[in-house]
């Protein structure tokens, strides 16, 4: 049988072309390129808050900049809590870009005394606590505050976030 009378699907060049088209379709569906870590590294170096700046403010100034905390009912201690005493600090919690930000402040002076930034991992823990420093605007080398990782209770070697205190 001559090439002119054979069906097209029996010709060798048809199958070569079909495989080529199939590979092009699969390549297009998968995005066509390998993703790079540029977006991840860019995200990791862009602060979501300026923790060093927050440590120099009063809680009222923080609220002017960041708005109302996540739980408005616990913004300040109640009169009964103040009467009971026993503590001189209070906290306000914010959520910024899926990270929990907790600010400790002195109830008398209202000065922010501490700052915590949690990981945005779904399970709430991370091995790389130092990756949180650029997100928080904090630096291990800075003076005026100290930084420590906060370990996960039931997962040795994992951390829930980073705390800075004056």
């Amino acid at each position: 049988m001559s090439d002119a009378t054979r069906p097209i699907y029996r010709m060798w060049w048809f199958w070569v072309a079909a495989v080529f088209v199939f590979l092009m379709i699969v390549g297009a569906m998968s995005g066509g390129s390998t993703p790079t870590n540029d977006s991840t590294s860019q995200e990791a170096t862009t602060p979501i808050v300026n923790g060093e700046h927050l440590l120099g403010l009063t809680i009222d100034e923080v609220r002017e900049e960041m708005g109302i905390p996540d739980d408005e009912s616990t913004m300040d201690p109640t009169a009964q809590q103040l009467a009971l005493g026993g503590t001189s600090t209070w906290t306000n919690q914010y959520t910024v870009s899926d990270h929990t930000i907790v600010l400790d402040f002195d109830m008398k002076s209202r000065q922010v005394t501490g700052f915590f930034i949690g990981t945005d991992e779904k399970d709430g823990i991370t091995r790389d606590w130092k990756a949180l420093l650029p997100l928080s605007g904090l630096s291990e080398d800075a003076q005026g505050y100290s930084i420590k990782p906060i370990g996960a209770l039931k997962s040795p070697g994992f951390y829930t976030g980073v705390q800075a205190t004056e």
Side-chain angles (χ1 to χ4, degrees):
M1 196 183 254
S2 71
D3 280 348
T5 59
R6 287 177 32 192
I8 193 167
Y9 63 87
R10 289 197 171 198
M11 296 190 190
W12 69 268
W13 54 266
F14 170 79
W15 291 107
V16 170
V19 168
F20 182 74
V21 169
F22 174 77
L23 292 175
M24 285 179 39
I25 291 170
V26 169
M29 291 174 72
S30 68
S33 67
T34 304
T36 62
N37 287 336
D38 292 346
S39 63
T40 304
S41 63
Q42 177 63 29
E43 179 183 317
T45 58
T46 304
I48 58 172
V49 293
N50 186 342
E52 192 168 337
H53 170 71
L54 293 176
L55 286 170
L57 300 177
T58 66
I59 195 63
D60 301 307
E61 293 168 330
V62 170
R63 291 177 189 159
E64 286 177 20
E65 289 186 17
M66 295 182 66
I68 303 294
D70 292 347
D71 186 357
E72 190 173 349
S73 69
T74 61
M75 280 178 46
D76 289 299
T78 65
Q80 183 180 11
Q81 289 167 324
L82 288 171
L84 289 172
T87 185
S88 61
T89 61
W90 199 253
T91 63
N92 279 184
Q93 179 175 313
Y94 293 86
T95 303
V96 180
S97 299
D98 294 329
H99 291 270
T100 299
I101 310 293
V102 179
L103 299 168
D104 298 323
F105 65 95
D106 181 272
M107 290 191 304
K108 288 183 183 176
S109 69
R110 302 193 58 80
Q111 184 70 37
V112 174
T113 59
F115 173 90
F116 171 85
I117 182 169
T119 181
D120 65 346
E121 298 291 329
K122 290 181 183 179
D123 58 2
I125 58 175
T126 182
R127 279 197 186 273
D128 187 13
W129 65 270
K130 289 188 178 189
L132 296 171
L133 292 178
L135 292 172
S136 66
L138 301 172
S139 168
E140 283 186 285
D141 302 335
Q143 296 182 356
Y145 58 87
S146 61
I147 294 178
K148 74 174 186 177
I150 304 301
L153 292 177
K154 296 183 179 180
S155 300
F158 286 86
Y159 303 92
T160 59
V162 175
Q163 181 180 23
T165 53
E166 290 188 312

